[in-house]
Amino acid sequence: MSRLSLFILSVVMCTAVFGEAPHLDELERLKSMISEKATIDKAKFNKVSRLKSQLSNAQVYSDKVKILNELGDEYTLFMADSATHYYNEALELCQSVGDSTGMYISIMKKIRPETIAGFYAEAITEFNELSEKSLPDSLLPHYYECGYRLYSFTLNSIERHNSFYDKYFAKASEFRQLWIASLPSGSVMRDLYEAESLFVSGKYNAAKVILRELLSKVNKKSNEYAITAAIMANILHAEGNITESLRYYALSAITDIECSVKENQSIYELSMILYELGDIETAYRFILASIEDAAFCNAQMRVYNASRMLPVIEEAHQKETKKHERLMIASLLVVSLLVCGLVLVVVVLVRQMRKLSRARARLHAANNIKDEYMGQFLELCTVYIKRLDSFTKLVTRKLNSGQVEDLLRLTRSARFNDEQHREFYKAFDLAFLKIYTTFVDDVNALLRPEERYTVETPGTLNNELRIYALIRLGINDGQKIAEFLKYSVNTIYTYRNRIKNKAINRETFESDIMNIGVIK
């Protein structure tokens, strides 16, 4: 693909583009196609192989020259050295039979790949040896095209402020206009390079009218489409429409890949713009693809231009990579901390769940104790209601029988009262120990080892333990305890002090008693 590349390059290099690279489907498709180039190029190799096979079988001079030139055409934008080789073979064959027209055609054809490969001196010498006056009219369009491509491509190697730049620019413009005038009106090539001429002249709108029409009718898998899209991208870029210029550069680069065109410019332009936009990763990928294609084609100027920018983009890419590595390390640290935090939270939650489970178990046990307590209380009340009923019946019977003296003896009998108290204490002990099943062990744990109690009859309490059983039930007043146990207040006081003196911690003994059976 040929055009005024230095002009384009200067626009790219001198225009500061800032902001974020837009997300375009065309760019994503181009990224995908770069990795498929080898597969796509197989079609080109297959076509070349078929032509070589035809060449080996060709016997007629005209067929050989035709196939040699076709091979040169296939190789021109693919492998410039090979193109030059086959055009030279065609030239030698034409010289051997004195075919001047064939010689002119082969010379003009081989000037383009020679220019691509960097043989400017040879290309210019050969072009200057051609004479516009000596060429038949039918070859003038080829001659003008050859002059345009020679001088426009040579501009790639000249800085814009160089004294030779204006001279070569004028030459390229002159030959382009002559070429346009020699082409059939309405032809794709004429419209295409008229649009380029308008672009170079700054007539952007007029150029875009022609280009839009071409884009709608030109085969999307042709070199003409790639050039059309590239010129449209140049105009949009010059107008400051970065997003759309990227889109059309991408379309041009995609078509270059589909056509196996290695002498290309659009992917290089893309890398430059994306570099300015800060998309270093994509710019680096595209500049490498550009260098790879240029090296494959032996397009020396393309290699030079791309290689000149490679260190700049590569340095930025390395910085970007290191930045990503630092971000990745920071992210890993954050994730690690989050994982550790999550593990800690899980551990705490598990512990809390276990505590909750234990609390629920204790609460369930407490509910059972409450139910049992109520049951024991009701049972105890029932027992004494029955005894009261029995005693009432006995008193009634004695009174009805006139046995008042017997009744008085019965009620005055210490044995009767003691028996009633024993029965009550027995029922109390049984009910209390059903609720606080470990009460004796819990009290012993608060006493010094040598002072601990041994209960001979299971399910019973001695007087000292019974006092603290009442205290545990909330009866702390000495008078009430004395009335309950039928002791004097002093006796109760003595018992309490005696047990306190046996305690490991005398000061907290009674509060420790109150904590027996408490759910924590």
Side-chain angles (χ1 to χ4, degrees):
M1 182 171 53
S2 176
R3 52 196 179 276
L4 297 179
S5 302
L6 187 60
F7 175 79
I8 298 165
L9 179 60
S10 66
V11 172
V12 173
M13 298 302 294
C14 297
T15 303
V17 183
F18 299 97
E20 295 184 357
H23 179 82
L24 297 173
D25 292 340
E26 290 81 2
L27 287 176
E28 296 304 314
R29 185 183 171 201
L30 177 57
K31 291 178 188 177
S32 175
M33 291 194 68
I34 287 174
S35 60
E36 299 173 7
K37 285 194 297 183
T39 303
I40 295 171
D41 289 344
K42 287 181 180 178
K44 171 69 77 173
F45 285 115
N46 290 337
K47 186 173 183 180
V48 167
S49 296
R50 288 194 298 272
L51 287 172
K52 289 179 180 179
S53 178
Q54 292 174 18
L55 179 62
S56 63
N57 295 325
Q59 301 295 325
V60 180
Y61 159 77
S62 59
D63 290 341
K64 288 184 178 181
V65 172
K66 178 177 176 294
I67 296 170
L68 286 169
N69 283 325
E70 286 179 0
L71 279 167
D73 293 344
E74 291 296 326
Y75 274 122
T76 294
L77 302 179
F78 188 62
M79 297 175 68
D81 288 343
S82 296
T84 302
H85 167 75
Y86 285 107
Y87 286 140
N88 278 327
E89 282 197 7
L91 176 60
E92 291 174 1
L93 189 57
C94 291
Q95 287 173 337
S96 68
V97 298
D99 181 0
S100 58
T101 300
M103 290 167 52
Y104 291 143
I105 292 174
S106 297
I107 291 171
M108 287 187 288
K109 281 181 173 291
K110 80 187 187 80
I111 285 175
R112 188 179 184 186
E114 284 177 344
T115 306
I116 291 171
F119 300 113
Y120 300 118
E122 291 81 355
I124 290 176
T125 299
E126 290 172 346
F127 181 74
N128 289 334
E129 289 177 353
L130 294 172
S131 172
E132 181 178 358
K133 295 179 180 180
S134 63
L135 292 174
D137 292 342
S138 61
L139 295 184
L140 288 179
H142 299 289
Y143 175 76
Y144 298 141
E145 178 187 1
C146 184
Y148 161 72
R149 296 194 185 281
L150 174 62
Y151 286 106
S152 65
F153 199 93
T154 307
L155 287 172
N156 288 302
S157 61
I158 305 174
E159 297 293 336
R160 193 168 187 184
H161 60 270
N162 190 288
S163 59
F164 289 97
Y165 179 84
D166 290 339
K167 176 183 175 182
Y168 278 53
F169 184 85
K171 280 280 190 183
S173 298
E174 177 188 350
F175 277 107
R176 180 176 53 238
Q177 292 306 120
L178 290 170
W179 181 31
I180 292 171
S182 70
L183 292 171
S185 179
S187 64
V188 170
M189 296 302 288
R190 178 164 182 157
D191 290 345
L192 179 57
Y193 285 95
E194 276 185 354
E196 185 185 65
S197 179
L198 290 168
F199 162 55
V200 174
S201 302
K203 299 174 182 177
Y204 298 160
N205 290 332
K208 286 193 290 185
V209 169
I210 298 173
L211 293 171
R212 288 195 184 98
E213 184 178 354
L214 286 173
L215 288 170
S216 66
K217 68 180 183 180
V218 173
N219 182 359
K220 287 183 169 54
K221 291 188 178 182
S222 66
N223 189 232
E224 289 77 14
Y225 184 87
I227 298 172
T228 305
I231 297 173
M232 178 66 84
N234 294 338
I235 296 172
L236 293 167
H237 192 199
E239 290 178 335
N241 190 340
I242 303 304
T243 299
E244 287 304 305
S245 71
L246 284 173
R247 188 189 310 279
Y248 281 99
Y249 277 133
L251 288 171
S252 176
I254 288 169
T255 306
D256 282 336
I257 292 175
E258 290 176 332
C259 296
S260 295
V261 171
K262 304 300 181 181
E263 196 290 298
N264 52 52
Q265 180 73 8
S266 293
I267 196 167
Y268 172 77
E269 305 294 352
L270 278 171
S271 66
M272 295 297 98
I273 298 175
L274 291 171
Y275 169 73
E276 294 293 338
L277 289 173
D279 188 352
I280 306 301
E281 181 68 29
T282 307
Y284 183 70
R285 185 173 180 181
F286 286 176
I287 197 73
L288 288 180
S290 176
I291 292 173
E292 180 184 345
D293 285 350
F296 182 88
C297 184
N298 193 29
Q300 296 297 319
M301 186 48 58
R302 303 294 188 207
V303 172
Y304 170 75
N305 288 337
S307 299
R308 186 176 57 177
M309 288 304 301
L310 179 61
V312 178
I313 297 178
E314 187 172 20
E315 182 181 2
H317 180 257
Q318 289 176 354
K319 289 180 180 178
E320 191 76 9
T321 301
K322 289 179 181 178
K323 178 182 176 182
H324 289 162
E325 288 175 354
R326 288 194 295 270
L327 286 173
M328 185 178 293
I329 292 171
S331 299
L332 287 174
L333 289 174
V334 171
V335 170
S336 299
L337 290 174
L338 289 174
V339 169
C340 292
L342 182 61
V343 171
L344 183 61
V345 168
V346 170
V347 170
V348 171
L349 286 175
V350 169
R351 289 181 178 177
Q352 291 297 326
M353 291 298 292
R354 289 176 179 173
K355 287 182 180 179
L356 182 60
S357 178
R358 289 195 291 269
R360 285 175 176 171
R362 291 192 185 108
L363 184 60
H364 180 69
N367 288 332
N368 291 338
I369 290 173
K370 179 189 71 175
D371 294 341
E372 190 170 355
Y373 178 81
M374 290 299 297
Q376 291 295 328
F377 175 76
L378 292 173
E379 184 179 346
L380 190 61
C381 290
T382 301
V383 168
Y384 276 90
I385 288 172
K386 287 180 179 179
R387 288 188 179 184
L388 181 60
D389 289 342
S390 298
F391 185 72
T392 301
K393 290 177 181 178
L394 177 63
V395 170
T396 301
R397 190 171 61 251
K398 292 287 186 183
L399 290 174
N400 289 333
S401 302
Q403 299 175 342
V404 176
E405 293 297 327
D406 291 343
L407 185 60
L408 289 173
R409 283 196 302 273
L410 179 63
T411 56
R412 290 173 179 172
S413 172
R415 179 172 172 273
F416 177 79
N417 289 335
D418 290 343
E419 183 179 344
Q420 296 301 315
H421 282 96
R422 282 196 301 273
E423 290 296 323
F424 175 75
Y425 294 146
K426 182 178 179 182
F428 171 80
D429 292 349
L430 184 63
F432 181 82
L433 290 175
K434 280 188 176 181
I435 297 171
Y436 298 98
T437 56
T438 61
F439 181 75
V440 176
D441 292 336
D442 292 337
V443 171
N444 279 335
L446 300 174
L447 304 177
R448 297 191 298 275
E450 66 274 11
E451 301 292 349
R452 291 172 182 171
Y453 294 101
T454 301
V455 178
E456 295 179 358
T457 305
T460 61
L461 299 171
N462 59 30
N463 289 331
E464 294 176 351
L465 290 173
R466 198 171 289 127
I467 290 171
Y468 276 94
L470 291 169
I471 291 173
R472 176 62 188 86
L473 292 175
I475 305 173
N476 198 43
D477 183 65
Q479 180 67 38
K480 291 182 179 180
I481 295 173
E483 290 175 358
F484 184 86
L485 296 178
K486 301 300 180 181
Y487 289 137
S488 67
V489 174
N490 288 334
T491 301
I492 296 302
Y493 179 78
T494 300
Y495 275 135
R496 289 178 73 168
N497 279 331
R498 182 187 301 170
I499 297 176
K500 281 184 180 181
N501 290 332
K502 296 178 181 181
I504 296 172
N505 190 338
R506 189 179 189 280
E507 300 301 323
T508 62
F509 179 70
E510 290 196 355
S511 62
D512 292 338
I513 290 292
M514 295 302 295
N515 286 327
I516 292 175
V518 173
I519 298 175
K520 297 180 180 179

